Amino acid sequence: VTNRCTVAGCANPAGDAYVCMSCTRDLFADLVAVPWLLDHLAVTLARLDRIMGSLDHTGVAAAAPLPIRWRAVQAAVTLRHTLAPWARRVAAHRSLVCDLTDDQTAGFARWLATHIVYVRQLADAGELIDEIRYAIDQVRRAIDRPPDLSYAGPCDGCHADLYCEADQYGHPTESVIRCHQCRCTYDIADRRDFLLNEARDYLATATEIAQALPALYGHDLSVNTIRCWIARGQLLPRAWLHAGRVHTHRQSDRDRPLCRIGDVIDLARRRDERTTAS
Ligand SMILES: [Zn+2]
Ligand SMILES: [Zn+2]
């Protein structure tokens, strides 16, 4: 009996396994690249954090656009939550030992690569390959972006990611973006609405919000204004950053408040409407 490969879009013969040799080789190449990709993702995050962290000392709004950092964090989380369960499933299926802890993402990739023969025997190996390749692809996309590009959401036509040239503060330096794939063009101002909706529910510190706002809202807002709104009770923190972790309740006086970006934008809009009216 010869099975057909169960990877989406592939119908090669798979012998007595569930995925063909070609798809297996591609998965193997992806898995052995994971440690290298994770190193680069860590460098990308460190760079974005450094740009954000430097604000506290200089007060200069050098912006790492928030959605880019968010994508990098999401990519790391997605990969971890994809590799670990699949490796455990293969281990359980063949009664193999896989004694790794959840945070050992590179370890799970190595484990799957060394047990690739058993991966092929799993009845839902096609699904495994689809999910793992998607997760690894997200990591690749998160690290491939040069710092001087600003993310502008997906293309309406072909869903490719749109990026525009940006200056060191994250402000777009062009007024029109062209999709590299289908050549559609977009007005930068229109794309701002997309970013705004994406970012509204994101929690961030006053400093991060002040940096992100020019790209999201189109106007500057000083970090002092945001702190002032918090002190006066006009802006309610939704969570607190304590010793690097997010808590829903304040743990100490030194905790940094985290606010919802949408709340800040609503206040900024009301303030700007009052200014225009008077
Ligand atoms: Zn295949
Ligand atoms: Zn397009």
Side-chain angles (χ1 to χ4, degrees):
V1 180
T2 292
N3 295 333
R4 290 278 157 194
C5 180
T6 53
V7 172
C10 180
N12 290 339
D16 59 353
Y18 293 91
V19 289
C20 72
M21 281 315 293
S22 163
C23 290
T24 305
R25 268 196 303 272
D26 288 348
L27 175 68
F28 184 81
D30 272 352
L31 288 170
V32 295
V34 164
W36 182 89
L37 288 168
L38 287 175
D39 282 351
H40 281 258
L41 191 63
V43 169
T44 301
L45 281 167
R47 176 171 54 73
L48 295 175
D49 284 343
R50 185 170 47 76
I51 296 168
M52 288 187 165
S54 67
L55 279 161
D56 290 337
H57 310 295
T58 62
V60 177
L66 215 52
I68 290 186
R69 189 187 192 283
W70 185 74
R71 283 160 60 87
V73 172
Q74 284 298 304
V77 171
T78 303
L79 186 61
R80 181 197 299 183
H81 290 314
T82 305
L83 291 180
W86 278 116
R88 294 215 169 95
R89 192 171 157 73
V90 174
H93 183 239
R94 304 296 297 217
S95 306
L96 299 164
V97 178
C98 177
D99 55 351
L100 296 162
T101 55
D102 270 352
D103 56 337
Q104 293 176 280
T105 308
F108 281 110
R110 212 173 300 120
W111 192 94
L112 282 163
T114 51
H115 295 84
I116 200 86
V117 180
Y118 302 119
V119 171
R120 295 189 67 215
Q121 307 289 337
L122 204 64
D124 41 9
E127 210 177 312
L128 174 152
I129 290 188
D130 286 341
E131 288 188 9
I132 291 180
R133 301 205 75 184
Y134 170 81
I136 292 176
D137 196 43
Q138 295 298 103
V139 174
R140 279 211 179 91
R141 288 144 61 105
I143 62 177
D144 273 343
R145 301 299 159 196
D148 54 348
L149 290 181
S150 177
Y151 179 57
C155 171
D156 294 338
C158 71
H159 304 292
D161 285 318
L162 300 173
Y163 288 87
C164 61
E165 302 277 331
D167 64 17
Q168 56 173 323
Y169 305 115
H171 296 238
T173 53
E174 310 159 298
S175 56
V176 171
I177 310 177
R178 184 185 294 274
C179 173
H180 64 90
Q181 204 160 291
C182 72
R183 319 306 291 167
C184 288
T185 56
Y186 295 91
D187 202 84
I188 292 279
D190 294 342
R191 299 310 297 179
R192 197 170 278 143
D193 294 339
F194 168 84
L195 288 174
L196 200 75
N197 281 331
E198 284 282 284
R200 280 191 81 86
D201 288 322
Y202 190 90
L203 299 182
T205 63
T207 308
E208 288 172 332
I209 297 176
Q211 298 170 40
L213 237 58
L216 296 174
Y217 177 56
H219 298 285
D220 289 313
L221 186 70
S222 80
V223 65
N224 287 335
T225 305
I226 298 175
R227 288 195 181 124
C228 186
W229 285 341
I230 296 173
R232 283 198 220 133
Q234 287 172 281
L235 179 63
L236 296 177
R238 301 296 184 113
W240 301 88
L241 203 57
H242 175 80
R245 282 174 185 274
V246 177
H247 294 261
T248 47
H249 294 285
R250 194 169 191 163
Q251 309 290 307
S252 87
D253 287 348
R254 298 176 61 192
D255 291 359
R256 295 170 79 190
L258 294 175
C259 297
R260 190 174 156 271
I261 291 180
D263 294 345
V264 178
I265 290 170
D266 290 342
L267 280 170
R269 192 167 275 154
R270 252 177 274 151
R271 180 198 65 168
D272 292 343
E273 278 165 8
R274 271 202 308 275
T275 319
T276 334
S278 60

